[in-house]
Amino acid sequence: ENELWAYGADVQAVLTRYVRLRNDVLAPYVRELAANVTRFGVPTMRPLWYEFPEDEACWAVEDQFLLGPRYLVAPVVTLGARQ
């Protein structure tokens, strides 16, 4: 089963919160970013130096990126990593 309610009431409440976040915040933001690609040619996924060219430290960051100008994405690729 892949329905929110299939995992019990406690899990459903958590999943519902994140589905709403996706629908109410992230989806409109990604649509806005897509429109900006078309209109202005700006990338959706951006290296940090794209938004902060004056910050020399940003030029060395290779394991993080920005999703548009608002959200920093720092993938965790090592099992159990905390930093």
Side-chain angles (χ1 to χ4, degrees):
E1 300 222 12
N2 201 23
E3 302 298 337
L4 298 181
W5 56 84
Y7 301 99
D10 291 342
V11 174
Q12 180 182 351
V14 172
L15 293 177
T16 298
R17 178 178 174 198
Y18 287 106
V19 167
R20 286 189 180 136
L21 173 68
R22 180 192 65 194
N23 293 343
D24 297 343
V25 177
L26 291 178
Y29 183 63
V30 170
R31 281 193 295 274
E32 176 186 331
L33 293 174
N36 286 338
V37 169
T38 302
R39 272 187 245 140
F40 307 112
V42 296
T44 298
M45 295 171 55
R46 307 167 185 194
L48 273 59
W49 54 259
Y50 187 88
E51 290 293 329
F52 309 104
E54 70 289 344
D55 186 345
E56 292 183 22
C58 288
W59 290 79
V61 176
E62 296 182 357
D63 59 352
Q64 300 172 29
F65 63 92
L66 292 166
L67 180 62
R70 284 189 207 151
Y71 298 111
L72 175 66
V73 179
V76 177
V77 296
T78 303
L79 181 64
R82 298 286 182 231
Q83 54 180 332

